[in-house]
Amino acid sequence: MGRAVDFVVLGVVLATSFSSLPIAYLLNKTNLAKDSRIVFAAGALCLAAAILAPAYVLRRRYRNVDFIIYVFAMFCWSAILDLFVGLELDGFVKFFIPFDYLEGEPYLNTTHGTMMCYWDGTAHFVLQLSGIVLFCMQESYREVGLYWSGSFINSMLVLISGALLGKGPVKGATFLNVPYFCFPVISAFKLIRDRPLQARSYMRIPPITRRPVDLLFLVYFILASILAIFRGFTVLGANISCMKQYLEMFEPYLNDPSSFPKAQMLVYQFYFLFYYLCAIHGLLYPGQLFMSDWSIIHAGASAQSQFVHIASSLHRRTPKALRAPRAGVPGAAFWGINLALLIVPHLFALRCWRDPENCGRTYTTDIARPVTQPATRQSVYRTPSKRD
């Protein structure tokens, strides 16, 4: 049975997460932010506190602390900073971002960069806090970790690729995002490696034609595969009339000079497409135990990509000629395509999660124990016959 929320750990994580804000405000108000050495030292101090303080408290209160919990605590700090970066770029707050910060990462001043900051400061922050809370309550946090990993990996793939493909000069600060890509990848590998062991089910399952819900998902993944290829070649400048028409009428934002929309469409073509084909295989041949894990990862990546893409297409700082259509057939097509790419992956993840015997179990197995309890490593195997 789970424990109550550990408000000590939660309070330390929240305190260190917000520690950068008063320091950043003070530096800007006193003009100390003009000295890059002071900004770097202050940032390093806050980051060190965001890493060491939660780690110390967690180690003092729990045994067997999972690596991803430390990552969650560390990334909460950058999430709050990104939230205020987005708010300042849109003019809602002032004096929180050092000028050198944007000089080193000018791509954040694009609409894609702003929306990415909003997503990191809200969705990622909530997911990271939720993972820490679930860990302290001895509940399963693995699903949250998989979803967060998918979202963060997609975010960093597009950010780094778009920054490298953009017209502006590539500065050294761009490569500071590499650890933010590596940690989620390592976390995803660890979570997949620690998947609950189970024997493959050999139950006889009706063919896809007698499973109407799965048949609808199959049709979706086939259409999504076609769309991923189509939009990928569209942003690459394919000389085909229907692709040019799509670019002009339905998604003009793909022409944005920042290259982030192009990078996102290429991620769909080269990464999402592979998952779509695996999902099609899993639907045609049930019993593939990788389906649940990867459906959650894909749902996280889809949520991040579609939120940023849709919001950037509608943002007031996006040139009017590149904004998404809002009426008529082009508007209906834009919303229909992008909402389907946002919603259906979550429905499919829910479908897989509710069928653990054929799609794989997703809950946390090894959990940490409070130091007040005996130092025996326990596993939590909640194996319901059917998820309600």
Side-chain angles (χ1 to χ4, degrees), residues 75 78-87 89-90 101-102 105-125 128 151-163 173-174 176-177 180-181 253 258 260-261 263-264 301 303-313 315 317:
F75 278 35
S78 61
I80 294 300
L81 188 61
D82 280 348
L83 175 61
F84 277 81
V85 168
L87 290 172
L89 289 172
D90 274 342
Y101 190 90
L102 291 180
E105 300 186 84
Y107 46 80
L108 293 179
N109 204 20
T110 64
T111 54
H112 179 96
T114 302
M115 292 301 105
M116 185 204 70
C117 287
Y118 281 138
W119 181 263
D120 189 36
T122 54
H124 285 163
F125 184 70
Q128 289 152 190
S151 176
F152 228 112
I153 290 170
N154 180 82
S155 176
M156 289 297 104
L157 269 177
V158 176
L159 179 67
I160 296 173
S161 301
T174 302
L176 295 176
N177 292 293
Y180 287 92
F181 173 74
Y253 176 65
S258 69
F260 288 117
Q264 182 63 76
Q304 195 279 336
S305 63
Q306 289 307 117
F307 169 81
V308 173
H309 180 67
I310 293 172
S312 300
S313 301
H315 198 275
R317 286 197 281 116

Side-chain angles (χ1 to χ4, degrees), residues 108-226:
L108 293 179
N109 204 20
T110 64
T111 54
H112 179 96
T114 302
M115 292 301 105
M116 185 204 70
C117 287
Y118 281 138
W119 181 263
D120 189 36
T122 54
H124 285 163
F125 184 70
V126 170
L127 288 169
Q128 289 152 190
L129 271 187
S130 300
I132 294 171
V133 169
L134 289 170
F135 167 81
C136 295
M137 295 176 65
Q138 297 182 334
E139 298 289 344
S140 175
Y141 55 88
R142 189 169 178 274
E143 296 91 340
V144 172
L146 290 169
Y147 190 92
W148 171 85
S149 297
S151 176
F152 228 112
I153 290 170
N154 180 82
S155 176
M156 289 297 104
L157 269 177
V158 176
L159 179 67
I160 296 173
S161 301
L164 296 177
L165 293 172
K167 296 180 180 179
V170 178
K171 299 187 178 182
T174 302
F175 298 99
L176 295 176
N177 292 293
V178 173
Y180 287 92
F181 173 74
C182 293
F183 278 116
V185 169
I186 295 170
S187 299
F189 279 138
K190 185 179 185 303
L191 290 169
I192 292 172
R193 185 194 65 188
D194 295 341
R195 182 171 61 84
L197 297 176
Q198 68 182 106
R200 181 174 178 178
S201 174
Y202 289 95
M203 294 174 57
R204 185 173 179 82
I205 300 175
I208 188 71
T209 53
R210 295 176 59 187
R211 291 180 279 131
V213 174
D214 286 352
L215 183 60
L216 290 175
F217 282 125
L218 179 67
V219 172
Y220 164 78
F221 283 119
I222 293 173
L223 294 177
S225 300
I226 296 171

Side-chain angles (χ1 to χ4, degrees), residues 285-299:
Y285 303 97
Q288 311 299 325
L289 300 182
F290 66 84
M291 291 282 282
S292 290
D293 285 357
W294 285 100
S295 68
I296 296 174
I297 292 174
H298 171 242

Side-chain angles (χ1 to χ4, degrees), residues 57 67 70 88-89 108 135 145 164 177 298 324 346 353 371 385:
V57 174
F67 165 78
Y70 294 128
E88 183 149 345
L89 289 172
L108 293 179
F135 167 81
L164 296 177
N177 292 293
H298 171 242
H346 292 80
W353 182 81
V371 294
S385 57

Side-chain angles (χ1 to χ4, degrees), residues 259-282:
S259 295
F260 288 117
K262 177 186 290 187
Q264 182 63 76
M265 295 307 108
L266 293 178
V267 168
Y268 266 103
Q269 185 179 34
F270 294 115
Y271 295 96
F272 281 56
L273 177 60
F274 179 74
Y275 169 75
Y276 296 155
L277 299 178
C278 292
I280 290 171
H281 172 78

Side-chain angles (χ1 to χ4, degrees), residues 217-363:
F217 282 125
L218 179 67
V219 172
Y220 164 78
F221 283 119
I222 293 173
L223 294 177
S225 300
I226 296 171
L227 181 66
I229 296 171
F230 180 86
R231 295 203 296 182
F233 282 115
T234 298
V235 298
L236 289 175
N239 192 21
I240 302 176
S241 59
C242 62
M243 293 184 178
K244 292 181 178 180
Q245 187 178 19
Y246 180 85
L247 202 58
E248 294 172 2
M249 295 181 57
F250 299 97
E251 293 208 61
Y253 176 65
L254 298 181
N255 275 322
D256 190 82
S258 69
S259 295
F260 288 117
K262 177 186 290 187
Q264 182 63 76
M265 295 307 108
L266 293 178
V267 168
Y268 266 103
Q269 185 179 34
F270 294 115
Y271 295 96
F272 281 56
L273 177 60
F274 179 74
Y275 169 75
Y276 296 155
L277 299 178
C278 292
I280 290 171
H281 172 78
L283 288 169
L284 292 175
Y285 303 97
Q288 311 299 325
L289 300 182
F290 66 84
M291 291 282 282
S292 290
D293 285 357
W294 285 100
S295 68
I296 296 174
I297 292 174
H298 171 242
S302 298
Q304 195 279 336
S305 63
Q306 289 307 117
F307 169 81
V308 173
H309 180 67
I310 293 172
S312 300
S313 301
L314 303 172
H315 198 275
R316 59 183 172 81
R317 286 197 281 116
T318 298
K320 193 171 183 179
L322 299 180
R323 292 180 194 170
R326 302 192 182 190
V329 175
F334 171 82
W335 284 107
I337 289 171
N338 287 288
L339 287 180
L341 292 172
L342 171 64
I343 296 171
V344 178
H346 292 80
L347 297 177
F348 186 66
L350 179 63
R351 177 257 178 272
C352 293
W353 182 81
R354 288 172 61 89
D355 187 14
E357 297 305 317
N358 291 306
C359 298
R361 300 167 185 160
T362 60
Y363 50 80

